[in-house]
Every structure is written in structure tokens, then in C-alpha cells.
PDB file of all heavy atoms in Angstrom:
ATOM      1  N   ALA A 285     191.721 -87.677 -49.400  1.00 88.00           N
ATOM      2  CA  ALA A 285     192.326 -88.984 -49.254  1.00 88.00           C
ATOM      3  C   ALA A 285     193.690 -88.897 -48.528  1.00 88.00           C
ATOM      4  O   ALA A 285     194.035 -89.716 -47.682  1.00 88.00           O
ATOM      5  CB  ALA A 285     192.527 -89.679 -50.570  1.00 88.00           C
ATOM      6  N   GLN A 286     194.430 -87.813 -48.854  1.00 91.00           N
ATOM      7  CA  GLN A 286     195.731 -87.615 -48.196  1.00 91.00           C
ATOM      8  C   GLN A 286     195.556 -87.374 -46.683  1.00 91.00           C
ATOM      9  O   GLN A 286     196.301 -87.874 -45.864  1.00 91.00           O
ATOM     10  CB  GLN A 286     196.474 -86.449 -48.814  1.00 91.00           C
ATOM     11  CG  GLN A 286     196.923 -86.659 -50.241  1.00 91.00           C
ATOM     12  CD  GLN A 286     197.620 -85.454 -50.823  1.00 91.00           C
ATOM     13  OE1 GLN A 286     198.472 -84.826 -50.169  1.00 91.00           O
ATOM     14  NE2 GLN A 286     197.239 -85.092 -52.047  1.00 91.00           N
ATOM     15  N   ILE A 287     194.527 -86.636 -46.313  1.00 88.00           N
ATOM     16  CA  ILE A 287     194.256 -86.374 -44.945  1.00 88.00           C
ATOM     17  C   ILE A 287     193.843 -87.702 -44.244  1.00 88.00           C
ATOM     18  O   ILE A 287     194.268 -88.033 -43.145  1.00 88.00           O
ATOM     19  CB  ILE A 287     193.162 -85.284 -44.764  1.00 88.00           C
ATOM     20  CG1 ILE A 287     193.814 -83.927 -45.157  1.00 88.00           C
ATOM     21  CG2 ILE A 287     192.706 -85.211 -43.321  1.00 88.00           C
ATOM     22  CD1 ILE A 287     192.808 -82.809 -45.151  1.00 88.00           C
ATOM     23  N   ALA A 288     192.959 -88.438 -44.946  1.00 84.00           N
ATOM     24  CA  ALA A 288     192.499 -89.717 -44.336  1.00 84.00           C
ATOM     25  C   ALA A 288     193.628 -90.692 -44.207  1.00 84.00           C
ATOM     26  O   ALA A 288     193.683 -91.448 -43.178  1.00 84.00           O
ATOM     27  CB  ALA A 288     191.415 -90.300 -45.226  1.00 84.00           C
ATOM     28  N   LYS A 289     194.571 -90.724 -45.130  1.00 87.00           N
ATOM     29  CA  LYS A 289     195.676 -91.658 -45.097  1.00 87.00           C
ATOM     30  C   LYS A 289     196.885 -91.138 -44.293  1.00 87.00           C
ATOM     31  O   LYS A 289     197.900 -91.818 -44.164  1.00 87.00           O
ATOM     32  CB  LYS A 289     196.117 -91.999 -46.496  1.00 87.00           C
ATOM     33  CG  LYS A 289     195.063 -92.744 -47.305  1.00 87.00           C
ATOM     34  CD  LYS A 289     195.571 -92.980 -48.726  1.00 87.00           C
ATOM     35  CE  LYS A 289     194.538 -93.701 -49.568  1.00 87.00           C
ATOM     36  NZ  LYS A 289     194.963 -93.845 -50.964  1.00 87.00           N
ATOM     37  N   LYS A 290     196.719 -89.898 -43.782  1.00 89.00           N
ATOM     38  CA  LYS A 290     197.727 -89.269 -42.938  1.00 89.00           C
ATOM     39  C   LYS A 290     199.019 -88.935 -43.690  1.00 89.00           C
ATOM     40  O   LYS A 290     200.102 -88.866 -43.134  1.00 89.00           O
ATOM     41  CB  LYS A 290     198.005 -90.069 -41.667  1.00 89.00           C
ATOM     42  CG  LYS A 290     196.788 -90.452 -40.874  1.00 89.00           C
ATOM     43  CD  LYS A 290     197.094 -91.354 -39.730  1.00 89.00           C
ATOM     44  CE  LYS A 290     195.860 -91.696 -38.918  1.00 89.00           C
ATOM     45  NZ  LYS A 290     194.807 -92.407 -39.737  1.00 89.00           N
ATOM     46  N   THR A 291     198.935 -88.774 -44.992  1.00 93.00           N
ATOM     47  CA  THR A 291     200.089 -88.361 -45.771  1.00 93.00           C
ATOM     48  C   THR A 291     200.118 -86.865 -45.937  1.00 93.00           C
ATOM     49  O   THR A 291     201.170 -86.342 -46.312  1.00 93.00           O
ATOM     50  CB  THR A 291     200.089 -89.024 -47.178  1.00 93.00           C
ATOM     51  OG1 THR A 291     198.840 -88.652 -47.871  1.00 93.00           O
ATOM     52  CG2 THR A 291     200.161 -90.514 -47.061  1.00 93.00           C
ATOM     53  N   CYS A 292     199.099 -86.165 -45.608  1.00 95.00           N
ATOM     54  CA  CYS A 292     199.073 -84.691 -45.517  1.00 95.00           C
ATOM     55  C   CYS A 292     199.475 -84.360 -44.119  1.00 95.00           C
ATOM     56  O   CYS A 292     198.763 -84.727 -43.185  1.00 95.00           O
ATOM     57  CB  CYS A 292     197.675 -84.162 -45.888  1.00 95.00           C
ATOM     58  SG  CYS A 292     197.526 -82.338 -45.728  1.00 95.00           S
ATOM     59  N   LYS A 293     200.587 -83.664 -43.976  1.00 96.00           N
ATOM     60  CA  LYS A 293     201.165 -83.378 -42.615  1.00 96.00           C
ATOM     61  C   LYS A 293     200.854 -81.914 -42.172  1.00 96.00           C
ATOM     62  O   LYS A 293     201.010 -80.989 -42.937  1.00 96.00           O
ATOM     63  CB  LYS A 293     202.657 -83.589 -42.620  1.00 96.00           C
ATOM     64  CG  LYS A 293     203.067 -85.015 -43.070  1.00 96.00           C
ATOM     65  CD  LYS A 293     202.556 -86.057 -42.074  1.00 96.00           C
ATOM     66  CE  LYS A 293     203.080 -87.428 -42.459  1.00 96.00           C
ATOM     67  NZ  LYS A 293     202.533 -88.445 -41.531  1.00 96.00           N
ATOM     68  N   ARG A 294     200.344 -81.815 -40.948  1.00 96.00           N
ATOM     69  CA  ARG A 294     199.976 -80.508 -40.388  1.00 96.00           C
ATOM     70  C   ARG A 294     200.694 -80.251 -39.067  1.00 96.00           C
ATOM     71  O   ARG A 294     200.622 -81.117 -38.186  1.00 96.00           O
ATOM     72  CB  ARG A 294     198.460 -80.438 -40.217  1.00 96.00           C
ATOM     73  CG  ARG A 294     197.666 -80.454 -41.525  1.00 96.00           C
ATOM     74  CD  ARG A 294     196.183 -80.677 -41.286  1.00 96.00           C
ATOM     75  NE  ARG A 294     195.843 -81.997 -40.980  1.00 96.00           N
ATOM     76  CZ  ARG A 294     194.693 -82.418 -40.541  1.00 96.00           C
ATOM     77  NH1 ARG A 294     193.694 -81.524 -40.328  1.00 96.00           N
ATOM     78  NH2 ARG A 294     194.442 -83.676 -40.322  1.00 96.00           N
ATOM     79  N   THR A 295     201.352 -79.163 -38.991  1.00 97.00           N
ATOM     80  CA  THR A 295     202.158 -78.782 -37.786  1.00 97.00           C
ATOM     81  C   THR A 295     201.567 -77.461 -37.243  1.00 97.00           C
ATOM     82  O   THR A 295     201.404 -76.514 -37.954  1.00 97.00           O
ATOM     83  CB  THR A 295     203.615 -78.613 -38.137  1.00 97.00           C
ATOM     84  OG1 THR A 295     204.127 -79.846 -38.680  1.00 97.00           O
ATOM     85  CG2 THR A 295     204.422 -78.207 -36.868  1.00 97.00           C
ATOM     86  N   TYR A 296     201.406 -77.457 -35.942  1.00 98.00           N
ATOM     87  CA  TYR A 296     200.847 -76.326 -35.238  1.00 98.00           C
ATOM     88  C   TYR A 296     201.840 -75.818 -34.141  1.00 98.00           C
ATOM     89  O   TYR A 296     202.711 -76.593 -33.717  1.00 98.00           O
ATOM     90  CB  TYR A 296     199.551 -76.691 -34.487  1.00 98.00           C
ATOM     91  CG  TYR A 296     198.337 -76.946 -35.369  1.00 98.00           C
ATOM     92  CD1 TYR A 296     198.314 -78.039 -36.221  1.00 98.00           C
ATOM     93  CD2 TYR A 296     197.233 -76.102 -35.329  1.00 98.00           C
ATOM     94  CE1 TYR A 296     197.151 -78.267 -37.040  1.00 98.00           C
ATOM     95  CE2 TYR A 296     196.127 -76.320 -36.139  1.00 98.00           C
ATOM     96  CZ  TYR A 296     196.103 -77.400 -36.938  1.00 98.00           C
ATOM     97  OH  TYR A 296     195.024 -77.686 -37.747  1.00 98.00           O
ATOM     98  N   PHE A 297     201.670 -74.587 -33.774  1.00 98.00           N
ATOM     99  CA  PHE A 297     202.336 -74.091 -32.609  1.00 98.00           C
ATOM    100  C   PHE A 297     201.323 -73.569 -31.573  1.00 98.00           C
ATOM    101  O   PHE A 297     200.283 -72.986 -32.023  1.00 98.00           O
ATOM    102  CB  PHE A 297     203.340 -72.916 -32.934  1.00 98.00           C
ATOM    103  CG  PHE A 297     204.628 -73.349 -33.506  1.00 98.00           C
ATOM    104  CD1 PHE A 297     204.773 -73.517 -34.854  1.00 98.00           C
ATOM    105  CD2 PHE A 297     205.689 -73.725 -32.623  1.00 98.00           C
ATOM    106  CE1 PHE A 297     206.021 -73.954 -35.367  1.00 98.00           C
ATOM    107  CE2 PHE A 297     206.869 -74.184 -33.170  1.00 98.00           C
ATOM    108  CZ  PHE A 297     207.030 -74.298 -34.534  1.00 98.00           C
ATOM    109  N   ALA A 298     201.568 -73.816 -30.327  1.00 98.00           N
ATOM    110  CA  ALA A 298     200.631 -73.349 -29.289  1.00 98.00           C
ATOM    111  C   ALA A 298     201.405 -72.905 -28.048  1.00 98.00           C
ATOM    112  O   ALA A 298     202.482 -73.472 -27.733  1.00 98.00           O
ATOM    113  CB  ALA A 298     199.670 -74.452 -28.919  1.00 98.00           C
ATOM    114  N   LEU A 299     200.890 -71.938 -27.393  1.00 98.00           N
ATOM    115  CA  LEU A 299     201.439 -71.516 -26.108  1.00 98.00           C
ATOM    116  C   LEU A 299     200.565 -72.192 -25.036  1.00 98.00           C
ATOM    117  O   LEU A 299     199.361 -71.963 -24.978  1.00 98.00           O
ATOM    118  CB  LEU A 299     201.385 -69.990 -25.917  1.00 98.00           C
ATOM    119  CG  LEU A 299     202.031 -69.443 -24.660  1.00 98.00           C
ATOM    120  CD1 LEU A 299     203.561 -69.666 -24.714  1.00 98.00           C
ATOM    121  CD2 LEU A 299     201.725 -67.966 -24.463  1.00 98.00           C
ATOM    122  N   LEU A 300     201.201 -72.996 -24.200  1.00 98.00           N
ATOM    123  CA  LEU A 300     200.450 -73.718 -23.150  1.00 98.00           C
ATOM    124  C   LEU A 300     200.639 -73.055 -21.815  1.00 98.00           C
ATOM    125  O   LEU A 300     201.666 -72.420 -21.524  1.00 98.00           O
ATOM    126  CB  LEU A 300     200.978 -75.170 -23.065  1.00 98.00           C
ATOM    127  CG  LEU A 300     201.026 -75.991 -24.359  1.00 98.00           C
ATOM    128  CD1 LEU A 300     201.378 -77.427 -24.041  1.00 98.00           C
ATOM    129  CD2 LEU A 300     199.674 -75.936 -25.056  1.00 98.00           C
ATOM    130  N   GLU A 301     199.642 -73.208 -20.960  1.00 97.00           N
ATOM    131  CA  GLU A 301     199.748 -72.742 -19.603  1.00 97.00           C
ATOM    132  C   GLU A 301     200.672 -73.674 -18.793  1.00 97.00           C
ATOM    133  O   GLU A 301     200.558 -74.907 -18.912  1.00 97.00           O
ATOM    134  CB  GLU A 301     198.346 -72.721 -18.967  1.00 97.00           C
ATOM    135  CG  GLU A 301     197.374 -71.754 -19.657  1.00 97.00           C
ATOM    136  CD  GLU A 301     196.017 -71.763 -19.007  1.00 97.00           C
ATOM    137  OE1 GLU A 301     195.869 -72.406 -17.920  1.00 97.00           O
ATOM    138  OE2 GLU A 301     195.089 -71.115 -19.522  1.00 97.00           O
ATOM    139  N   GLY A 302     201.499 -73.102 -17.958  1.00 96.00           N
ATOM    140  CA  GLY A 302     202.372 -73.900 -17.052  1.00 96.00           C
ATOM    141  C   GLY A 302     203.598 -74.440 -17.735  1.00 96.00           C
ATOM    142  O   GLY A 302     203.859 -74.149 -18.933  1.00 96.00           O
ATOM    143  N   ASN A 303     204.340 -75.229 -16.969  1.00 96.00           N
ATOM    144  CA  ASN A 303     205.637 -75.755 -17.437  1.00 96.00           C
ATOM    145  C   ASN A 303     205.504 -77.268 -17.769  1.00 96.00           C
ATOM    146  O   ASN A 303     205.431 -78.048 -16.793  1.00 96.00           O
ATOM    147  CB  ASN A 303     206.705 -75.505 -16.387  1.00 96.00           C
ATOM    148  CG  ASN A 303     208.101 -75.916 -16.840  1.00 96.00           C
ATOM    149  OD1 ASN A 303     208.327 -76.112 -18.004  1.00 96.00           O
ATOM    150  ND2 ASN A 303     209.024 -76.004 -15.917  1.00 96.00           N
ATOM    151  N   LEU A 304     205.425 -77.603 -19.008  1.00 95.00           N
ATOM    152  CA  LEU A 304     205.277 -78.990 -19.424  1.00 95.00           C
ATOM    153  C   LEU A 304     206.500 -79.782 -18.991  1.00 95.00           C
ATOM    154  O   LEU A 304     207.645 -79.411 -19.253  1.00 95.00           O
ATOM    155  CB  LEU A 304     205.076 -79.067 -20.943  1.00 95.00           C
ATOM    156  CG  LEU A 304     204.670 -80.389 -21.553  1.00 95.00           C
ATOM    157  CD1 LEU A 304     203.313 -80.816 -21.003  1.00 95.00           C
ATOM    158  CD2 LEU A 304     204.567 -80.200 -23.082  1.00 95.00           C
ATOM    159  N   LYS A 305     206.288 -80.912 -18.345  1.00 92.00           N
ATOM    160  CA  LYS A 305     207.405 -81.650 -17.687  1.00 92.00           C
ATOM    161  C   LYS A 305     208.325 -82.271 -18.723  1.00 92.00           C
ATOM    162  O   LYS A 305     209.534 -82.217 -18.635  1.00 92.00           O
ATOM    163  CB  LYS A 305     206.833 -82.723 -16.781  1.00 92.00           C
ATOM    164  CG  LYS A 305     206.067 -82.170 -15.576  1.00 92.00           C
ATOM    165  CD  LYS A 305     205.546 -83.242 -14.700  1.00 92.00           C
ATOM    166  CE  LYS A 305     204.823 -82.689 -13.496  1.00 92.00           C
ATOM    167  NZ  LYS A 305     204.238 -83.796 -12.652  1.00 92.00           N
ATOM    168  N   THR A 306     207.772 -82.883 -19.730  1.00 96.00           N
ATOM    169  CA  THR A 306     208.623 -83.612 -20.714  1.00 96.00           C
ATOM    170  C   THR A 306     208.905 -82.750 -21.921  1.00 96.00           C
ATOM    171  O   THR A 306     208.134 -81.859 -22.329  1.00 96.00           O
ATOM    172  CB  THR A 306     207.905 -84.887 -21.234  1.00 96.00           C
ATOM    173  OG1 THR A 306     206.616 -84.509 -21.683  1.00 96.00           O
ATOM    174  CG2 THR A 306     207.714 -85.866 -20.072  1.00 96.00           C
ATOM    175  N   ASP A 307     210.085 -83.001 -22.568  1.00 96.00           N
ATOM    176  CA  ASP A 307     210.475 -82.201 -23.719  1.00 96.00           C
ATOM    177  C   ASP A 307     209.767 -82.559 -25.004  1.00 96.00           C
ATOM    178  O   ASP A 307     209.597 -81.789 -25.932  1.00 96.00           O
ATOM    179  CB  ASP A 307     211.978 -82.346 -23.949  1.00 96.00           C
ATOM    180  CG  ASP A 307     212.812 -81.633 -22.862  1.00 96.00           C
ATOM    181  OD1 ASP A 307     212.278 -80.712 -22.255  1.00 96.00           O
ATOM    182  OD2 ASP A 307     213.955 -82.025 -22.596  1.00 96.00           O
ATOM    183  N   SER A 308     209.284 -83.825 -25.071  1.00 97.00           N
ATOM    184  CA  SER A 308     208.614 -84.274 -26.215  1.00 97.00           C
ATOM    185  C   SER A 308     207.819 -85.517 -25.877  1.00 97.00           C
ATOM    186  O   SER A 308     208.057 -86.128 -24.839  1.00 97.00           O
ATOM    187  CB  SER A 308     209.546 -84.558 -27.376  1.00 97.00           C
ATOM    188  OG  SER A 308     210.448 -85.634 -27.045  1.00 97.00           O
ATOM    189  N   GLY A 309     206.888 -85.890 -26.739  1.00 97.00           N
ATOM    190  CA  GLY A 309     206.106 -87.126 -26.459  1.00 97.00           C
ATOM    191  C   GLY A 309     204.964 -87.261 -27.414  1.00 97.00           C
ATOM    192  O   GLY A 309     204.811 -86.523 -28.420  1.00 97.00           O
ATOM    193  N   ARG A 310     204.179 -88.265 -27.196  1.00 97.00           N
ATOM    194  CA  ARG A 310     202.979 -88.529 -28.017  1.00 97.00           C
ATOM    195  C   ARG A 310     201.766 -88.710 -27.059  1.00 97.00           C
ATOM    196  O   ARG A 310     201.892 -89.404 -26.094  1.00 97.00           O
ATOM    197  CB  ARG A 310     203.196 -89.768 -28.865  1.00 97.00           C
ATOM    198  CG  ARG A 310     201.911 -90.301 -29.516  1.00 97.00           C
ATOM    199  CD  ARG A 310     202.194 -91.397 -30.535  1.00 97.00           C
ATOM    200  NE  ARG A 310     202.747 -90.846 -31.795  1.00 97.00           N
ATOM    201  CZ  ARG A 310     202.870 -91.486 -32.916  1.00 97.00           C
ATOM    202  NH1 ARG A 310     202.507 -92.737 -32.974  1.00 97.00           N
ATOM    203  NH2 ARG A 310     203.388 -90.900 -33.991  1.00 97.00           N
ATOM    204  N   VAL A 311     200.605 -88.137 -27.473  1.00 97.00           N
ATOM    205  CA  VAL A 311     199.384 -88.341 -26.726  1.00 97.00           C
ATOM    206  C   VAL A 311     198.498 -89.192 -27.701  1.00 97.00           C
ATOM    207  O   VAL A 311     198.248 -88.741 -28.808  1.00 97.00           O
ATOM    208  CB  VAL A 311     198.732 -87.044 -26.367  1.00 97.00           C
ATOM    209  CG1 VAL A 311     197.433 -87.309 -25.564  1.00 97.00           C
ATOM    210  CG2 VAL A 311     199.656 -86.122 -25.603  1.00 97.00           C
ATOM    211  N   ALA A 312     198.028 -90.350 -27.229  1.00 96.00           N
ATOM    212  CA  ALA A 312     197.179 -91.173 -28.007  1.00 96.00           C
ATOM    213  C   ALA A 312     195.976 -91.587 -27.114  1.00 96.00           C
ATOM    214  O   ALA A 312     196.140 -92.348 -26.218  1.00 96.00           O
ATOM    215  CB  ALA A 312     197.903 -92.423 -28.529  1.00 96.00           C
ATOM    216  N   THR A 313     194.840 -91.045 -27.447  1.00 96.00           N
ATOM    217  CA  THR A 313     193.637 -91.333 -26.648  1.00 96.00           C
ATOM    218  C   THR A 313     192.395 -91.436 -27.588  1.00 96.00           C
ATOM    219  O   THR A 313     192.485 -91.034 -28.736  1.00 96.00           O
ATOM    220  CB  THR A 313     193.337 -90.188 -25.655  1.00 96.00           C
ATOM    221  OG1 THR A 313     192.890 -89.022 -26.390  1.00 96.00           O
ATOM    222  CG2 THR A 313     194.570 -89.859 -24.816  1.00 96.00           C
ATOM    223  N   ASP A 314     191.327 -91.867 -27.026  1.00 94.00           N
ATOM    224  CA  ASP A 314     190.037 -91.735 -27.749  1.00 94.00           C
ATOM    225  C   ASP A 314     189.485 -90.339 -27.441  1.00 94.00           C
ATOM    226  O   ASP A 314     189.610 -89.878 -26.276  1.00 94.00           O
ATOM    227  CB  ASP A 314     189.050 -92.776 -27.271  1.00 94.00           C
ATOM    228  CG  ASP A 314     189.153 -94.081 -28.050  1.00 94.00           C
ATOM    229  OD1 ASP A 314     190.248 -94.293 -28.726  1.00 94.00           O
ATOM    230  OD2 ASP A 314     188.261 -94.923 -27.992  1.00 94.00           O
ATOM    231  N   ILE A 315     188.915 -89.721 -28.411  1.00 94.00           N
ATOM    232  CA  ILE A 315     188.225 -88.404 -28.227  1.00 94.00           C
ATOM    233  C   ILE A 315     186.822 -88.515 -28.725  1.00 94.00           C
ATOM    234  O   ILE A 315     186.581 -89.111 -29.791  1.00 94.00           O
ATOM    235  CB  ILE A 315     188.986 -87.297 -28.973  1.00 94.00           C
ATOM    236  CG1 ILE A 315     190.288 -86.878 -28.169  1.00 94.00           C
ATOM    237  CG2 ILE A 315     188.115 -86.048 -29.139  1.00 94.00           C
ATOM    238  CD1 ILE A 315     191.065 -85.778 -28.828  1.00 94.00           C
ATOM    239  N   GLY A 316     185.927 -87.900 -28.000  1.00 90.00           N
ATOM    240  CA  GLY A 316     184.509 -87.840 -28.417  1.00 90.00           C
ATOM    241  C   GLY A 316     183.771 -86.728 -27.728  1.00 90.00           C
ATOM    242  O   GLY A 316     184.437 -85.931 -26.997  1.00 90.00           O
ATOM    243  N   ARG A 317     182.481 -86.652 -27.886  1.00 87.00           N
ATOM    244  CA  ARG A 317     181.685 -85.564 -27.252  1.00 87.00           C
ATOM    245  C   ARG A 317     181.788 -85.754 -25.723  1.00 87.00           C
ATOM    246  O   ARG A 317     181.745 -86.855 -25.185  1.00 87.00           O
ATOM    247  CB  ARG A 317     180.261 -85.650 -27.714  1.00 87.00           C
ATOM    248  CG  ARG A 317     180.019 -85.189 -29.087  1.00 87.00           C
ATOM    249  CD  ARG A 317     180.187 -83.718 -29.232  1.00 87.00           C
ATOM    250  NE  ARG A 317     180.238 -83.261 -30.621  1.00 87.00           N
ATOM    251  CZ  ARG A 317     180.576 -82.020 -30.992  1.00 87.00           C
ATOM    252  NH1 ARG A 317     180.917 -81.123 -30.102  1.00 87.00           N
ATOM    253  NH2 ARG A 317     180.571 -81.729 -32.264  1.00 87.00           N
ATOM    254  N   HIS A 318     181.868 -84.619 -25.061  1.00 90.00           N
ATOM    255  CA  HIS A 318     181.882 -84.592 -23.620  1.00 90.00           C
ATOM    256  C   HIS A 318     180.585 -85.223 -23.078  1.00 90.00           C
ATOM    257  O   HIS A 318     179.518 -84.917 -23.621  1.00 90.00           O
ATOM    258  CB  HIS A 318     182.000 -83.196 -23.126  1.00 90.00           C
ATOM    259  CG  HIS A 318     182.384 -83.042 -21.677  1.00 90.00           C
ATOM    260  ND1 HIS A 318     181.406 -83.240 -20.647  1.00 90.00           N
ATOM    261  CD2 HIS A 318     183.523 -82.704 -21.037  1.00 90.00           C
ATOM    262  CE1 HIS A 318     182.001 -83.043 -19.473  1.00 90.00           C
ATOM    263  NE2 HIS A 318     183.279 -82.722 -19.726  1.00 90.00           N
ATOM    264  N   PRO A 319     180.643 -86.080 -22.064  1.00 88.00           N
ATOM    265  CA  PRO A 319     179.443 -86.812 -21.624  1.00 88.00           C
ATOM    266  C   PRO A 319     178.348 -85.871 -21.071  1.00 88.00           C
ATOM    267  O   PRO A 319     177.160 -86.230 -21.090  1.00 88.00           O
ATOM    268  CB  PRO A 319     179.969 -87.709 -20.544  1.00 88.00           C
ATOM    269  CG  PRO A 319     181.304 -87.146 -20.159  1.00 88.00           C
ATOM    270  CD  PRO A 319     181.845 -86.501 -21.355  1.00 88.00           C
TER     271      PRO A 319
END
């Protein structure tokens, strides 16, 4: 229920390829199976 209600918080670290332009931001999209 905590995960469903987003009260359980999860933080990750990742090494990305290239130089990300912005210092911070939010990505909000729909995600589903690749067509």
C-alpha cells in the first residue's frame, strides 16, 4: 500500500551516457510495452 500510495520513497543512482543538459528535472510520460 505504501508503494501504491507513493509514500515509500526509492532513490537510485545511475551513470548516463553523454552530458545531460539540465541539472535537474522531471520526466512524466506514459510507459508501456514497445509496439
Side-chain angles (χ1 to χ4, degrees):
Q286 291 179 47
I287 290 176
K289 295 176 182 177
K290 305 176 182 61
T291 57
C292 177
K293 302 297 184 182
R294 291 169 285 170
T295 300
Y296 290 67
F297 280 92
L299 186 67
L300 306 187
E301 298 181 6
N303 186 13
L304 190 59
K305 295 179 181 179
T306 54
D307 290 334
S308 62
R310 167 171 287 192
V311 185
T313 70
D314 273 17
I315 284 181
R317 287 291 170 189
H318 193 284

